[in-house]
Amino acid sequence: MTQMTFARAINSGLRKSLENDPKVILMGEDIGTLGGVFRVTDGLQKDFGTHRVVDTPLAESAIMGTAVGLAYRGYRPVVEIQFDGFIYPAFDQIVSQVAKLHYRTQGAVKMPITIRVPFGGGIGSPEHHSESPEAYFTHTSGLRVVSVSNPQDAHTVIQQAILSDDPVLYFEPKRRYHDKGEVDEGIDPRTALSMDTARVVTEGTDVTLVAYGPLVKTARDAATAAADEGISIEVIDLRSLAPVDYATVEASVRKTGRLVVTHEAAQSGGLGAEVAASITERCFYHLEAAPVRITGFDIPYPFSKLEMHHLPGLDRILDGVDRALGRPNSLSGLEG
């Protein structure tokens, strides 16, 4: 076991994939000489060469189109989108080509493309640099969408994504890049917990709290704080956003009778709505209260001085827990 930051864990996972398969190619803006704006790919071009770690033009659509051509020829391209809000020029390529080629060709063409997306807020950056666009892609059949929350998963799941013959959007919570944790670099990604499986990270009996990516840490802090008041929260790290591991969430809600879902993305049309609706259908007679969503507000991402009011924090999540439990609270008039 090695202590490493979230960013270094991704770097280590990418390195192992490059070592294990000569068909793996990294592509992105400034990922080579600079090592990426967050230094996640630092040192990889030096060790594997400019033909394996490729600095691309500032053209996301061209990057994705090139990745499609490489996948056609048997390569496993790993594309970095420099910031979440920069993905939209590549949106047509992803949803019209990458997501559909396998189905359209009746399995003759595989699209083993991994799309790394640093996402979410909390770093003091404006719109285009702090967004949470995951719902656009979870809505699109043919794409796998994952979001990791800790260094071990960051290391293992990036390797699983690269090994997958399906296209995978790999959402990295950028405000967690400097968080440290224990990483076992010897875990075989082929035998590790599947990337489409959710994990119960804190056991509890009163409320199920579902989170992913940057808010898993906040959710665990909420469970610790609630325990001081005698409230037992079960925290689930969703990990896979498409497909969703509803079996794990359902089993928890059948036990607790209450559901709170939190994410940074806006509430309307967000993944939390889909989770709440699906669990209501599956667990209607087990629910003691309506599911509660704690999310970002339905606004463009705000300026840095306001972002911590926009992002779900400890107080807002605990307020959601109170609402699910029918307890009086001071924030009950807030939406999201």
Side-chain angles (χ1 to χ4, degrees):
M1 301 289 283
T2 305
Q3 271 276 335
M4 62 176 65
T5 65
F6 200 114
R8 180 54 58 181
I10 299 172
N11 180 286
S12 175
L14 291 170
R15 179 177 293 277
K16 283 185 173 293
S17 295
L18 287 162
E19 290 171 346
N20 293 335
D21 188 348
K23 293 291 188 180
V24 173
I25 295 178
L26 310 190
M27 303 166 56
E29 299 163 3
D30 298 320
I31 69 166
T33 303
L34 182 66
V37 293
F38 297 105
R39 305 300 186 266
V40 172
T41 54
D42 188 41
L44 296 180
Q45 188 181 77
K46 177 176 67 70
D47 293 341
F48 294 94
T50 57
H51 64 296
R52 300 284 306 280
V53 182
V54 182
D55 277 319
T56 66
L58 305 182
E60 286 78 13
S61 180
I63 295 169
M64 284 308 310
T66 302
V68 170
L70 285 166
Y72 255 113
R73 300 294 293 177
Y75 289 89
R76 293 184 176 272
V78 182
V79 170
E80 178 186 294
I81 303 297
Q82 194 171 74
F83 282 93
D84 36 49
F86 296 178
I87 200 169
Y88 303 118
F91 188 81
D92 179 50
Q93 293 279 6
I94 296 170
V95 302
S96 298
Q97 306 299 328
V98 174
K100 295 177 173 62
L101 278 166
H102 184 78
Y103 182 82
R104 184 187 303 155
T105 61
Q106 297 183 336
V109 174
K110 294 181 173 61
M111 282 286 113
I113 299 173
T114 300
I115 305 167
R116 293 182 44 238
V117 188
F119 86 123
I123 64 167
S125 290
E127 75 282 353
H128 309 312
H129 299 74
S130 299
E131 299 181 12
S132 299
E134 60 271 19
Y136 292 119
F137 302 103
T138 61
H139 182 75
T140 303
S141 299
L143 299 174
R144 290 183 180 271
V145 183
V146 299
S147 181
V148 288
S149 68
N150 60 80
Q152 182 65 68
D153 273 354
H155 180 268
T156 305
V157 175
I158 190 63
Q159 295 177 74
Q160 293 175 328
I162 294 169
L163 287 167
S164 173
D165 286 335
D166 297 324
V168 180
L169 280 104
Y170 177 92
F171 282 95
E172 309 167 6
K174 64 174 81 76
R175 65 163 147 155
R176 302 301 181 200
Y177 275 146
H178 298 294
D179 289 4
K180 290 185 177 181
E182 295 284 345
V183 176
D184 183 350
E185 296 180 272
I187 290 178
D188 186 343
R190 294 176 176 84
T191 59
L193 181 68
S194 170
M195 66 179 175
D196 58 9
T197 302
R199 177 187 285 123
V200 176
V201 294
T202 303
E203 294 190 355
T205 57
D206 295 331
V207 180
T208 298
L209 175 57
V210 174
Y212 58 84
L215 288 184
V216 172
K217 182 178 186 297
T218 313
R220 298 187 75 171
D221 291 343
T224 300
D228 292 338
E229 297 185 25
I231 300 169
S232 176
I233 298 177
E234 181 147 295
V235 178
I236 295 179
D237 181 354
L238 210 54
R239 301 177 80 243
S240 177
L241 314 186
V244 173
D245 176 11
Y246 282 115
T248 296
V249 182
E250 179 181 351
S252 177
V253 172
R254 285 177 178 267
K255 175 177 65 174
T256 65
R258 292 174 171 84
L259 172 66
V260 176
V261 187
T262 186
H263 54 67
E264 290 190 10
Q267 184 177 94
S268 297
L271 186 63
E274 183 62 31
V275 172
S278 296
I279 291 301
T280 299
E281 290 175 348
R282 293 163 180 251
C283 301
F284 184 79
Y285 293 107
H286 295 268
L287 285 167
E288 300 291 339
V292 175
R293 291 171 289 165
I294 308 298
T295 70
F297 299 112
D298 291 349
I299 58 172
Y301 197 85
F303 297 113
S304 58
K305 288 183 178 180
L306 297 175
E307 69 174 344
M308 297 319 292
H309 297 287
H310 172 74
L311 297 172
L314 186 66
D315 288 342
R316 284 178 60 200
I317 290 175
L318 289 172
D319 169 75
V321 169
D322 283 343
R323 280 190 273 155
L325 289 167
R327 289 159 53 100
N329 55 70
S330 60
L331 302 177
S332 57
L334 285 177
E335 292 297 323

